[in-house]
């Protein structure tokens, strides 16, 4: 089983950006934990981060040819990008939406997700653990 973990804009700053909101664990540490957890659960985890919407869309399109599922933290694009939403729909593989912060406890504009209605599930508010919860849920979903 192969899983893509896709990190959106500003997530490269995780660990130093607003640690009161996103925590102090770095993106590299998160990725390391996900690769390890993936191995334990029988999955190969590949990860990618980009601040550019088109690069995220291209990564989703590419995943269609090799990935069994995607864990996606689209960052701010969650609330703004119809194009990213359309890419998630187009790839026709299961996608779990994750957010480290509770988007519903933040500014009102963050309460709407273009992605939630087309993802197999959404997890938010558990810091870096949102990723591990998302990965576990996705693998369970794929295994049936």
């Amino acid at each position: 089983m192969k899983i893509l973990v896709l990190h959106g804009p500003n997530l490269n700053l995780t660990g130093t950006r607003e640690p009161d909101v996103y925590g102090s664990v770095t993106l590299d540490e998160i990725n390391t934990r996900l690769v390890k957890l993936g191995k334990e659960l029988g999955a190969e985890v590949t990860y990618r981060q980009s601040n550019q919407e088109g690069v995220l869309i291209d990564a989703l399109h590419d995943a269609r040819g090799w990935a069994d599922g995607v864990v996606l933290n689209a960052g701010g694009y969650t609330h703004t990008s119809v194009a990213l939403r359309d890419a998630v729909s187009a790839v026709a593989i299961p996608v779990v939406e994750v957010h480290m912060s509770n988007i519903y406890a933040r500014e009102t504009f963050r309460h709407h997700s273009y992605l939630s209605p087309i993802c197999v599930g959404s997890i938010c508010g558990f810091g870096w653990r949102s990723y591990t919860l998302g990965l576990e849920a996705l693998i369970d979903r794929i295994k049936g």
Side-chain angles (χ1 to χ4, degrees), residues 41-53:
L41 299 174
E44 178 184 334
V45 173
T46 301
Y47 50 85
R48 180 134 190 225
Q49 187 278 328
S50 180
N51 295 317
Q52 299 174 7
E53 183 178 28

Side-chain angles (χ1 to χ4, degrees), residues 76-86 88-89 97 111-119:
Y77 289 136
T78 300
H79 321 291
T80 64
S81 180
V82 173
L84 193 57
R85 180 214 183 277
D86 290 347
V88 170
S89 287
E97 173 188 21
H111 297 183
H112 178 265
S113 168
Y114 281 103
L115 304 175
S116 291
I118 56 162
C119 288

Side-chain angles (χ1 to χ4, degrees), residues 68-125:
D68 298 297
V70 177
V71 174
L72 173 62
N73 183 343
Y77 289 136
T78 300
H79 321 291
T80 64
S81 180
V82 173
L84 193 57
R85 180 214 183 277
D86 290 347
V88 170
S89 287
V91 298
I93 56 177
V95 176
V96 172
E97 173 188 21
V98 301
H99 300 282
M100 289 186 285
S101 69
N102 180 351
I103 62 174
Y104 302 103
R106 298 187 63 195
E107 305 92 340
T108 304
F109 70 86
R110 294 185 196 275
H111 297 183
H112 178 265
S113 168
Y114 281 103
L115 304 175
S116 291
I118 56 162
C119 288
V120 297
S122 299
I123 297 172
C124 70

Side-chain angles (χ1 to χ4, degrees), residues 2-3 9 28 33 46 62 70 74 111 125 136 143:
K2 295 183 179 184
I3 305 294
D28 286 341
R33 292 172 185 186
T46 301
D62 181 61
V70 177
H111 297 183
E136 290 172 346
K143 286 181 177 178

